[in-house]
mmCIF file of all heavy atoms in Angstrom:
data_model
loop_
_atom_site.group_PDB
_atom_site.id
_atom_site.type_symbol
_atom_site.label_atom_id
_atom_site.label_comp_id
_atom_site.label_asym_id
_atom_site.label_seq_id
_atom_site.Cartn_x
_atom_site.Cartn_y
_atom_site.Cartn_z
ATOM 1 N N SER A 128 8.444 70.357 203.922
ATOM 2 C CA SER A 128 7.638 69.300 204.539
ATOM 3 C C SER A 128 8.424 68.503 205.572
ATOM 4 O O SER A 128 7.840 67.822 206.408
ATOM 5 C CB SER A 128 7.126 68.336 203.463
ATOM 6 O OG SER A 128 8.211 67.662 202.840
ATOM 7 N N GLY A 129 9.740 68.562 205.508
ATOM 8 C CA GLY A 129 10.564 67.822 206.447
ATOM 9 C C GLY A 129 10.875 66.406 206.021
ATOM 10 O O GLY A 129 11.616 65.698 206.700
ATOM 11 N N THR A 130 10.327 65.972 204.883
ATOM 12 C CA THR A 130 10.596 64.620 204.391
ATOM 13 C C THR A 130 10.819 64.654 202.891
ATOM 14 O O THR A 130 10.402 65.600 202.211
ATOM 15 C CB THR A 130 9.425 63.668 204.691
ATOM 16 O OG1 THR A 130 8.227 64.176 204.069
ATOM 17 C CG2 THR A 130 9.203 63.518 206.185
ATOM 18 N N HIS A 131 11.462 63.603 202.391
ATOM 19 C CA HIS A 131 11.725 63.484 200.963
ATOM 20 C C HIS A 131 11.133 62.160 200.482
ATOM 21 O O HIS A 131 11.465 61.098 201.013
ATOM 22 C CB HIS A 131 13.232 63.511 200.698
ATOM 23 C CG HIS A 131 13.568 63.746 199.261
ATOM 24 N ND1 HIS A 131 13.424 62.768 198.307
ATOM 25 C CD2 HIS A 131 14.029 64.841 198.607
ATOM 26 C CE1 HIS A 131 13.790 63.248 197.146
ATOM 27 N NE2 HIS A 131 14.160 64.496 197.293
ATOM 28 N N PRO A 132 10.219 62.200 199.488
ATOM 29 C CA PRO A 132 9.564 60.958 199.069
ATOM 30 C C PRO A 132 10.495 60.068 198.247
ATOM 31 O O PRO A 132 11.413 60.541 197.595
ATOM 32 C CB PRO A 132 8.403 61.462 198.209
ATOM 33 C CG PRO A 132 8.919 62.740 197.622
ATOM 34 C CD PRO A 132 9.794 63.349 198.677
ATOM 35 N N PHE A 133 10.253 58.770 198.299
ATOM 36 C CA PHE A 133 10.955 57.848 197.414
ATOM 37 C C PHE A 133 9.989 56.747 196.978
ATOM 38 O O PHE A 133 9.020 56.430 197.676
ATOM 39 C CB PHE A 133 12.200 57.249 198.085
ATOM 40 C CG PHE A 133 11.924 56.488 199.358
ATOM 41 C CD1 PHE A 133 11.456 55.171 199.323
ATOM 42 C CD2 PHE A 133 12.165 57.062 200.590
ATOM 43 C CE1 PHE A 133 11.217 54.462 200.480
ATOM 44 C CE2 PHE A 133 11.926 56.356 201.769
ATOM 45 C CZ PHE A 133 11.450 55.058 201.714
ATOM 46 N N ASP A 134 10.248 56.215 195.814
ATOM 47 C CA ASP A 134 9.429 55.144 195.249
ATOM 48 C C ASP A 134 10.353 54.245 194.427
ATOM 49 O O ASP A 134 10.642 54.544 193.266
ATOM 50 C CB ASP A 134 8.304 55.719 194.380
ATOM 51 C CG ASP A 134 7.362 54.639 193.875
ATOM 52 O OD1 ASP A 134 7.360 53.538 194.466
ATOM 53 O OD2 ASP A 134 6.633 54.882 192.888
ATOM 54 N N TRP A 135 10.826 53.159 195.048
ATOM 55 C CA TRP A 135 11.772 52.264 194.393
ATOM 56 C C TRP A 135 11.035 51.014 193.938
ATOM 57 O O TRP A 135 10.176 50.498 194.652
ATOM 58 C CB TRP A 135 12.912 51.884 195.337
ATOM 59 C CG TRP A 135 13.599 53.083 195.916
ATOM 60 C CD1 TRP A 135 13.864 54.273 195.295
ATOM 61 C CD2 TRP A 135 14.078 53.226 197.250
ATOM 62 N NE1 TRP A 135 14.491 55.131 196.131
ATOM 63 C CE2 TRP A 135 14.638 54.522 197.347
ATOM 64 C CE3 TRP A 135 14.106 52.402 198.355
ATOM 65 C CZ2 TRP A 135 15.216 55.004 198.509
ATOM 66 C CZ3 TRP A 135 14.683 52.868 199.525
ATOM 67 C CH2 TRP A 135 15.231 54.161 199.595
ATOM 68 N N ARG A 136 11.399 50.508 192.776
ATOM 69 C CA ARG A 136 10.680 49.365 192.209
ATOM 70 C C ARG A 136 11.629 48.233 191.850
ATOM 71 O O ARG A 136 12.718 48.465 191.334
ATOM 72 C CB ARG A 136 9.863 49.808 190.991
ATOM 73 C CG ARG A 136 8.868 50.907 191.342
ATOM 74 C CD ARG A 136 7.825 51.146 190.287
ATOM 75 N NE ARG A 136 6.832 52.102 190.774
ATOM 76 C CZ ARG A 136 5.663 52.332 190.193
ATOM 77 N NH1 ARG A 136 5.351 51.691 189.082
ATOM 78 N NH2 ARG A 136 4.821 53.191 190.704
ATOM 79 N N PHE A 137 11.190 47.021 192.141
ATOM 80 C CA PHE A 137 11.945 45.813 191.856
ATOM 81 C C PHE A 137 11.094 44.892 190.982
ATOM 82 O O PHE A 137 9.860 44.955 191.022
ATOM 83 C CB PHE A 137 12.288 45.035 193.131
ATOM 84 C CG PHE A 137 12.804 45.879 194.253
ATOM 85 C CD1 PHE A 137 11.940 46.514 195.127
ATOM 86 C CD2 PHE A 137 14.152 46.016 194.441
ATOM 87 C CE1 PHE A 137 12.417 47.283 196.170
ATOM 88 C CE2 PHE A 137 14.648 46.782 195.481
ATOM 89 C CZ PHE A 137 13.779 47.417 196.349
ATOM 90 N N ALA A 138 11.764 44.060 190.249
ATOM 91 C CA ALA A 138 11.072 42.987 189.530
ATOM 92 C C ALA A 138 11.609 41.665 190.044
ATOM 93 O O ALA A 138 12.808 41.398 189.971
ATOM 94 C CB ALA A 138 11.288 43.102 188.023
ATOM 95 N N VAL A 139 10.731 40.850 190.611
ATOM 96 C CA VAL A 139 11.118 39.532 191.128
ATOM 97 C C VAL A 139 10.506 38.470 190.232
ATOM 98 O O VAL A 139 9.487 38.708 189.571
ATOM 99 C CB VAL A 139 10.653 39.358 192.580
ATOM 100 C CG1 VAL A 139 11.321 40.392 193.473
ATOM 101 C CG2 VAL A 139 9.142 39.479 192.687
ATOM 102 N N PRO A 140 11.101 37.286 190.167
ATOM 103 C CA PRO A 140 10.631 36.267 189.226
ATOM 104 C C PRO A 140 9.187 35.853 189.473
ATOM 105 O O PRO A 140 8.688 35.870 190.602
ATOM 106 C CB PRO A 140 11.591 35.096 189.480
ATOM 107 C CG PRO A 140 12.793 35.706 190.111
ATOM 108 C CD PRO A 140 12.300 36.862 190.906
ATOM 109 N N PHE A 141 8.498 35.495 188.395
ATOM 110 C CA PHE A 141 7.162 34.942 188.513
ATOM 111 C C PHE A 141 7.228 33.645 189.326
ATOM 112 O O PHE A 141 8.155 32.853 189.198
ATOM 113 C CB PHE A 141 6.573 34.644 187.126
ATOM 114 C CG PHE A 141 6.281 35.878 186.321
ATOM 115 C CD1 PHE A 141 7.072 36.196 185.224
ATOM 116 C CD2 PHE A 141 5.236 36.723 186.639
ATOM 117 C CE1 PHE A 141 6.823 37.326 184.468
ATOM 118 C CE2 PHE A 141 4.974 37.858 185.892
ATOM 119 C CZ PHE A 141 5.771 38.164 184.805
ATOM 120 N N GLY A 142 6.250 33.433 190.145
ATOM 121 C CA GLY A 142 6.206 32.226 190.957
ATOM 122 C C GLY A 142 6.925 32.364 192.276
ATOM 123 O O GLY A 142 6.920 31.419 193.081
ATOM 124 N N ALA A 143 7.567 33.503 192.527
ATOM 125 C CA ALA A 143 8.255 33.695 193.804
ATOM 126 C C ALA A 143 7.235 33.910 194.917
ATOM 127 O O ALA A 143 6.100 34.322 194.678
ATOM 128 C CB ALA A 143 9.203 34.887 193.713
ATOM 129 N N ASP A 144 7.634 33.633 196.126
ATOM 130 C CA ASP A 144 6.779 33.817 197.300
ATOM 131 C C ASP A 144 6.741 35.308 197.649
ATOM 132 O O ASP A 144 7.643 35.834 198.305
ATOM 133 C CB ASP A 144 7.324 33.003 198.476
ATOM 134 C CG ASP A 144 6.361 32.990 199.663
ATOM 135 O OD1 ASP A 144 5.420 33.800 199.674
ATOM 136 O OD2 ASP A 144 6.566 32.164 200.577
ATOM 137 N N LEU A 145 5.677 35.994 197.210
ATOM 138 C CA LEU A 145 5.605 37.439 197.383
ATOM 139 C C LEU A 145 5.495 37.836 198.855
ATOM 140 O O LEU A 145 6.054 38.853 199.270
ATOM 141 C CB LEU A 145 4.420 38.000 196.593
ATOM 142 C CG LEU A 145 4.496 37.860 195.068
ATOM 143 C CD1 LEU A 145 3.270 38.471 194.412
ATOM 144 C CD2 LEU A 145 5.765 38.508 194.529
ATOM 145 N N GLU A 146 4.781 37.043 199.632
ATOM 146 C CA GLU A 146 4.656 37.370 201.052
ATOM 147 C C GLU A 146 6.015 37.297 201.745
ATOM 148 O O GLU A 146 6.353 38.147 202.578
ATOM 149 C CB GLU A 146 3.657 36.422 201.726
ATOM 150 C CG GLU A 146 2.207 36.620 201.265
ATOM 151 C CD GLU A 146 1.255 35.748 202.057
ATOM 152 O OE1 GLU A 146 1.727 35.028 202.978
ATOM 153 O OE2 GLU A 146 0.048 35.787 201.777
ATOM 154 N N HIS A 147 6.783 36.286 201.403
ATOM 155 C CA HIS A 147 8.102 36.142 202.006
ATOM 156 C C HIS A 147 9.023 37.281 201.569
ATOM 157 O O HIS A 147 9.771 37.846 202.385
ATOM 158 C CB HIS A 147 8.708 34.790 201.615
ATOM 159 C CG HIS A 147 10.060 34.552 202.212
ATOM 160 N ND1 HIS A 147 10.276 34.461 203.569
ATOM 161 C CD2 HIS A 147 11.283 34.404 201.625
ATOM 162 C CE1 HIS A 147 11.557 34.256 203.808
ATOM 163 N NE2 HIS A 147 12.194 34.211 202.627
ATOM 164 N N ILE A 148 8.964 37.627 200.283
ATOM 165 C CA ILE A 148 9.788 38.720 199.774
ATOM 166 C C ILE A 148 9.406 40.033 200.447
ATOM 167 O O ILE A 148 10.274 40.819 200.858
ATOM 168 C CB ILE A 148 9.643 38.825 198.248
ATOM 169 C CG1 ILE A 148 10.246 37.586 197.577
ATOM 170 C CG2 ILE A 148 10.312 40.097 197.724
ATOM 171 C CD1 ILE A 148 10.026 37.542 196.088
ATOM 172 N N THR A 149 8.099 40.262 200.578
ATOM 173 C CA THR A 149 7.631 41.498 201.213
ATOM 174 C C THR A 149 8.111 41.585 202.653
ATOM 175 O O THR A 149 8.551 42.645 203.126
ATOM 176 C CB THR A 149 6.098 41.574 201.163
ATOM 177 O OG1 THR A 149 5.664 41.561 199.799
ATOM 178 C CG2 THR A 149 5.596 42.840 201.837
ATOM 179 N N SER A 150 8.038 40.481 203.376
ATOM 180 C CA SER A 150 8.494 40.480 204.765
ATOM 181 C C SER A 150 9.996 40.728 204.859
ATOM 182 O O SER A 150 10.473 41.398 205.788
ATOM 183 C CB SER A 150 8.128 39.150 205.430
ATOM 184 O OG SER A 150 8.821 38.074 204.814
ATOM 185 N N GLN A 151 10.767 40.198 203.897
ATOM 186 C CA GLN A 151 12.209 40.434 203.885
ATOM 187 C C GLN A 151 12.520 41.914 203.669
ATOM 188 O O GLN A 151 13.390 42.490 204.336
ATOM 189 C CB GLN A 151 12.865 39.592 202.779
ATOM 190 C CG GLN A 151 12.864 38.102 203.047
ATOM 191 C CD GLN A 151 13.798 37.719 204.184
ATOM 192 O OE1 GLN A 151 14.844 38.325 204.356
ATOM 193 N NE2 GLN A 151 13.409 36.725 204.960
ATOM 194 N N ILE A 152 11.812 42.549 202.728
ATOM 195 C CA ILE A 152 12.034 43.980 202.459
ATOM 196 C C ILE A 152 11.646 44.818 203.666
ATOM 197 O O ILE A 152 12.366 45.749 204.072
ATOM 198 C CB ILE A 152 11.241 44.418 201.216
ATOM 199 C CG1 ILE A 152 11.771 43.678 199.973
ATOM 200 C CG2 ILE A 152 11.340 45.924 201.017
ATOM 201 C CD1 ILE A 152 10.968 43.970 198.720
ATOM 202 N N GLN A 153 10.498 44.496 204.272
ATOM 203 C CA GLN A 153 10.063 45.258 205.443
ATOM 204 C C GLN A 153 11.029 45.092 206.608
ATOM 205 O O GLN A 153 11.241 46.025 207.388
ATOM 206 C CB GLN A 153 8.656 44.819 205.843
ATOM 207 C CG GLN A 153 7.580 45.257 204.859
ATOM 208 C CD GLN A 153 6.213 44.717 205.209
ATOM 209 O OE1 GLN A 153 6.092 43.719 205.912
ATOM 210 N NE2 GLN A 153 5.171 45.368 204.689
ATOM 211 N N ALA A 154 11.628 43.914 206.736
ATOM 212 C CA ALA A 154 12.611 43.706 207.803
ATOM 213 C C ALA A 154 13.830 44.598 207.603
ATOM 214 O O ALA A 154 14.380 45.154 208.562
ATOM 215 C CB ALA A 154 13.022 42.231 207.848
ATOM 216 N N VAL A 155 14.258 44.726 206.344
ATOM 217 C CA VAL A 155 15.380 45.623 206.045
ATOM 218 C C VAL A 155 15.028 47.062 206.381
ATOM 219 O O VAL A 155 15.833 47.807 206.971
ATOM 220 C CB VAL A 155 15.784 45.490 204.568
ATOM 221 C CG1 VAL A 155 16.795 46.573 204.194
ATOM 222 C CG2 VAL A 155 16.371 44.117 204.297
ATOM 223 N N LEU A 156 13.816 47.476 206.020
ATOM 224 C CA LEU A 156 13.406 48.861 206.262
ATOM 225 C C LEU A 156 13.261 49.146 207.755
ATOM 226 O O LEU A 156 13.558 50.258 208.204
ATOM 227 C CB LEU A 156 12.096 49.147 205.536
ATOM 228 C CG LEU A 156 12.156 49.086 204.004
ATOM 229 C CD1 LEU A 156 10.762 49.245 203.404
ATOM 230 C CD2 LEU A 156 13.082 50.152 203.451
ATOM 231 N N ARG A 157 12.826 48.138 208.531
ATOM 232 C CA ARG A 157 12.662 48.353 209.973
ATOM 233 C C ARG A 157 14.004 48.556 210.666
ATOM 234 O O ARG A 157 14.076 49.161 211.733
ATOM 235 C CB ARG A 157 11.911 47.177 210.597
ATOM 236 C CG ARG A 157 10.410 47.206 210.365
ATOM 237 C CD ARG A 157 9.713 46.228 211.303
ATOM 238 N NE ARG A 157 10.112 44.842 211.036
ATOM 239 C CZ ARG A 157 9.468 44.031 210.196
ATOM 240 N NH1 ARG A 157 8.396 44.484 209.550
ATOM 241 N NH2 ARG A 157 9.889 42.797 210.015
ATOM 242 N N GLU A 158 15.070 48.050 210.064
ATOM 243 C CA GLU A 158 16.391 48.215 210.654
ATOM 244 C C GLU A 158 16.945 49.625 210.468
ATOM 245 O O GLU A 158 17.919 49.990 211.123
ATOM 246 C CB GLU A 158 17.361 47.199 210.046
ATOM 247 C CG GLU A 158 17.029 45.752 210.386
ATOM 248 C CD GLU A 158 17.963 44.787 209.684
ATOM 249 O OE1 GLU A 158 18.821 45.257 208.898
ATOM 250 O OE2 GLU A 158 17.845 43.566 209.915
ATOM 251 N N ARG A 159 16.330 50.380 209.573
ATOM 252 C CA ARG A 159 16.801 51.745 209.327
ATOM 253 C C ARG A 159 16.313 52.656 210.444
ATOM 254 O O ARG A 159 15.121 52.787 210.698
ATOM 255 C CB ARG A 159 16.292 52.272 207.987
ATOM 256 C CG ARG A 159 16.693 51.453 206.780
ATOM 257 C CD ARG A 159 18.160 51.566 206.470
ATOM 258 N NE ARG A 159 18.626 52.925 206.315
ATOM 259 C CZ ARG A 159 19.797 53.253 205.783
ATOM 260 N NH1 ARG A 159 20.598 52.302 205.340
ATOM 261 N NH2 ARG A 159 20.169 54.500 205.688
ATOM 262 N N THR A 160 17.243 53.317 211.126
ATOM 263 C CA THR A 160 16.870 54.242 212.198
ATOM 264 C C THR A 160 16.637 55.657 211.688
ATOM 265 O O THR A 160 16.191 56.521 212.450
ATOM 266 C CB THR A 160 17.982 54.278 213.266
ATOM 267 O OG1 THR A 160 19.209 54.701 212.652
ATOM 268 C CG2 THR A 160 18.169 52.906 213.888
#
């Protein structure tokens, strides 16, 4: 297929800002070339 799937999972504390956390993770992934 030319690609290898991955599915990584994290547990973040209850009450954390999920939108902010999601944006932080996506920013890290966008830096990957």
